[in-house]
Amino acid sequence: MLKNASILITGGTGSFGHTFVPMTLAKYNPRRLVIFSRDEMKQWEMAKNYKNDERVRFFIGDVRDKDRLARALKDIDYVVHAAATKIVPTAEYNPFECVKTNINGAMNLIDACIDQGVKRVVALSTDKASNPVNLYGATKLASDKLFIAGNSYSGTQDTRFAVVRYGNVMGSRGSVIPFFMSLADNASLPITDERMTRFMITLEEGVDLVWRAFNDMAGGEIYVKKIPSMKITDVARAVAPEATHEIVGIRPGEKLHEQMIGPEDAPHTYEYDGYYKILPAIHNWSKDVSRINGGQPVPEDFTYSSDTNPEWMTSETLHAWITQHRDAIGKI
C-alpha cells in the first residue's frame, strides 16, 4: 500500500519518526516521505542522515496551524500522526498547551486531511488514553475519539482514519530506561512505587503496528499490540543490578498500572494473532464484517492491563536489549 506513495509524518523528528522513516524507506520505497515538525534544529540534525535521498523532505510547521497543515498535505496519500505533548507532569502543569496540541491539533489534521483528499491516516495513541487519570491521557482519549469520528465526518470523501495504541516505548528519549541509565552510577535509583507495572514495546514494534493498521483498516479501528509487562523494580534491576531502590512516590497524574483495553471496550474488541482491535461503538461499526475481518470477540469482562497481562519481560531480557542498543538509548 505504501509502495511509491507520498507519506507525511507529523512530529516526525521525535523518537518514533527516527525509526519509522528509515524502516519505511527500506521496506516500501515511497515516492516522497515528508517530516513535518516545528523544531528547526531537530530537522537540521535529522536531515544530515538523508542529504542524498531525494525521497525525504522536511517541512517546518505546527499541527496547531491548520493553514500550514493544508499546505504540507498537498498531494499526500498517507499520514502518520505522531505529534503530541506527552510528558505527563508537563501536561499537568501546562494544560492549555497540551490541549492546543493534542486536541486542537488533531481537529486541524482531520479537517486538513479531508480537505486535501488524503487516503489514510493513522494516529499514534497511548495506554494512558484508556480510563485516563491525567490530562495527557484525557487529551489522547479525546484525540482518539476525534479520529474515529473523522470517518463519518469525512462524508463522501474517501479519507479514512485509524488509531494505534501501545505502552512505554523502550529507550525513547525522556522514558524510564534512559532516566535510570543516567543515574546508574549512583548507589540508589528513585522508584515511584515498587508495585508499579508498565507495558513495554520497542520502536520497531510500534512501526510494524502502524504498517499493519494501514494495510488492514476500514476506518475507525484502534489497534492494540500484544506486548509484555514489567515491574518498575525489574526495569531498575536491568539497568543497575547492584543499586538499591529509594521509594519516592507516584508523580502527579501517574497510575500504578496502565490499561490499554478496559471492560467498557470489551463488547467492541476482537482478538487476532499478535494484537487486538477495538471497533467503534458508533454507527454499529463494531458489527461490521469488513472491520472485524476474521477476529474473535474477547470475553465480555475482558481487560488488558499491565498488572494482569499474561506476558512478562524479565530483567535479564531487558538487560540484554539494553546491552545491544546502549548507544541509541535516549538519543532520539
Side-chain angles (χ1 to χ4, degrees):
M1 178 175 284
L2 301 179
K3 185 177 177 62
N4 201 36
S6 291
I7 306 166
L8 181 141
I9 176 170
T10 69
T13 55
S15 299
F16 183 86
H18 272 277
T19 303
F20 175 83
V21 171
M23 286 181 65
T24 301
L25 290 171
K27 184 176 178 67
Y28 291 105
N29 189 27
R31 179 172 65 257
R32 184 163 55 117
L33 208 169
V34 180
I35 289 90
F36 181 93
S37 69
R38 63 186 182 183
D39 191 320
E40 62 177 324
M41 182 56 68
K42 289 180 183 177
Q43 285 203 8
W44 184 74
E45 290 289 346
M46 190 174 180
K48 295 176 185 177
N49 299 324
Y50 302 101
K51 59 183 179 181
N52 296 319
D53 195 332
E54 295 183 353
R55 298 171 297 175
V56 181
R57 316 286 177 83
F58 289 86
F59 206 107
I60 292 287
D62 195 319
V63 294
R64 300 182 185 188
D65 186 341
K66 186 176 175 181
D67 290 338
R68 188 61 171 167
L69 275 172
R71 178 72 67 183
L73 290 167
K74 183 174 176 56
D75 298 324
I76 292 293
D77 301 310
Y78 301 98
V79 170
V80 178
H81 180 48
T85 297
K86 59 184 66 174
I87 298 175
V88 170
T90 300
E92 293 297 302
Y93 290 111
N94 301 273
F96 286 23
E97 298 305 303
C98 184
V99 168
K100 287 175 186 177
T101 297
N102 295 355
I103 297 179
N104 296 352
M107 294 170 64
N108 289 338
L109 182 64
I110 291 164
D111 277 336
C113 285
I114 293 170
D115 292 344
Q116 293 297 325
V118 172
K119 295 176 182 176
R120 299 287 183 270
V121 181
V122 172
L124 273 56
S125 187
T126 169
D127 48 11
K128 293 174 178 61
S130 181
N131 190 25
V133 299
N134 53 55
L135 184 75
Y136 169 54
T139 60
K140 291 304 286 184
L141 174 60
S143 173
D144 293 354
K145 296 286 189 181
L146 289 167
F147 279 105
I148 290 166
N151 291 279
S152 55
Y153 186 56
S154 60
T156 58
Q157 288 289 108
D158 191 39
T159 306
R160 293 292 175 263
F161 303 89
V163 174
V164 298
R165 181 182 290 173
Y166 46 75
N168 183 70
V169 179
M170 293 162 55
S172 62
R173 184 172 48 203
S175 64
V176 65
I177 293 174
F179 173 65
F180 280 162
M181 289 175 65
S182 71
L183 302 174
D185 293 335
N186 295 0
S188 67
L189 294 179
I191 301 293
T192 50
D193 190 302
E194 59 186 1
R195 299 167 295 169
M196 183 174 283
T197 61
R198 288 294 183 264
F199 288 105
M200 307 293 283
I201 188 172
T202 66
L203 282 165
E204 291 78 9
E205 289 172 325
V207 172
D208 185 71
L209 186 62
V210 169
W211 290 344
R212 181 184 294 278
F214 275 127
N215 285 312
D216 178 80
M217 62 185 284
E221 303 90 344
I222 298 177
Y223 294 84
V224 178
K225 186 172 179 61
K226 295 178 182 178
I227 51 177
S229 293
M230 282 196 78
K231 292 182 176 181
I232 193 66
T233 50
D234 288 338
V235 176
R237 291 188 187 99
V239 174
E242 305 302 322
T244 60
H245 298 164
E246 178 188 359
I247 307 303
V248 297
I250 295 176
R251 298 179 302 173
E254 276 193 318
K255 280 184 179 181
L256 192 60
H257 309 292
E258 295 291 4
Q259 175 184 283
M260 285 203 278
I261 303 173
E264 299 81 7
D265 289 324
H268 315 290
T269 300
Y270 296 84
E271 184 174 8
Y272 305 80
D273 184 20
Y275 68 101
Y276 300 99
K277 187 161 49 174
I278 306 170
L279 297 183
I282 61 173
H283 306 307
N284 209 34
W285 283 344
S286 63
K287 305 301 180 185
D288 178 32
V289 174
S290 67
R291 286 178 169 85
I292 297 172
N293 195 21
Q296 296 299 312
V298 301
E300 62 179 15
D301 60 347
F302 177 80
T303 61
Y304 189 36
S305 180
S306 61
D307 59 327
T308 58
N309 188 2
E311 184 180 356
W312 290 81
M313 181 181 292
T314 65
S315 291
E316 293 76 15
T317 299
L318 180 59
H319 181 77
W321 182 89
I322 291 171
T323 300
Q324 182 180 356
H325 298 89
R326 184 174 296 275
D327 290 342
I329 291 173
K331 299 299 195 315
I332 57 174

